[in-house]
Amino acid sequence: MRLNKVLEEAQAKGYTIEDNGLGNLWVVMPREAFKEEMVRYKALGFNYLADIVGLDYLEYPDPRPERFAVVYELVSLPGWQDGDGSRFFVRVYVPEKDPRLPTVTDLWGSANFLEREVYDLFGIVFEGHPDLRKILTPEDLEGHPLRKDFPLGETPTLFREGRFIVPSEFRASLTGKNPGLTLYRGGSRKGYRALWADLMKAKEVK
């Protein structure tokens, strides 16, 4: 399979290969080698770029080489251009002081909007992109909303039976800075039990 060739070449070049044990493999490569390797993967028969995802490790508990990373999902799509079903991910770390990568729009057309999304939400610039501009957020919005230090306008989220979550405490629980989710109980919204009781009362009236 084409994936075996990718892994052999990655090991020979000293790239890190990550395996989550569920059939997903990541090849981690330096930014300097990124474009050359992507050209190589296209030539090997990875005919479909399925996704591009930005990551911000600003508050990640395990140390990473750089704050940002971009992950590409490459597929050798069966039934097209002799694809064999191989699939893997490429991870490239990007420095905070120079968040740039070469575009791959010249290799896969699907990269166009995907790179624009990562640019819009993370501020990573894809050099050589034919139309690099925002795609999701308003033109007058300053900053990049998926960066961990982007300021958030927050209001408590209301759930059933009057419970609600304080956003700052919810976020703290996710990052390990707080032992758990803090839930508060109020009386401003009825839960399903109260609604069921009202329904039963209505039936009795009839």
Side-chain angles (χ1 to χ4, degrees), residues 17 29 62 76-77 105 113 122 137 141 152-153 161:
I17 297 173
M29 64 184 61
D62 297 328
S76 179
L77 202 62
T105 52
F113 284 7
F122 290 92
T137 65
L141 177 70
L152 300 177
E161 299 182 0

Side-chain angles (χ1 to χ4, degrees), residues 4 26 37 59 72 79 100 108 112-114 117 135 199:
N4 295 333
W26 287 260
E37 295 294 352
E59 298 179 351
Y72 299 75
R100 296 175 180 273
W108 297 279
N112 192 322
F113 284 7
L114 296 173
E117 181 177 332
I135 192 171
L199 180 61

Side-chain angles (χ1 to χ4, degrees), residues 26-99:
W26 287 260
V27 174
V28 184
M29 64 184 61
R31 180 169 63 165
E32 296 73 20
F34 166 72
K35 187 58 181 281
E36 180 181 353
E37 295 294 352
M38 296 299 264
V39 171
R40 169 65 177 158
Y41 296 149
K42 179 67 181 291
L44 276 177
F46 287 88
N47 51 36
Y48 178 49
L49 172 65
D51 205 358
I52 303 175
V53 178
L55 298 167
D56 182 355
Y57 293 104
L58 180 64
E59 298 179 351
Y60 199 70
D62 297 328
R64 295 285 170 154
E66 301 288 352
R67 173 178 171 179
F68 297 112
V70 181
V71 174
Y72 299 75
E73 182 182 1
L74 297 181
V75 182
S76 179
L77 202 62
W80 186 46
Q81 297 179 351
D82 195 32
D84 66 359
S86 293
R87 170 180 170 270
F88 75 106
F89 299 87
V90 172
R91 187 193 308 270
V92 187
Y93 286 99
V94 181
E96 181 178 1
K97 293 183 179 180
D98 184 29

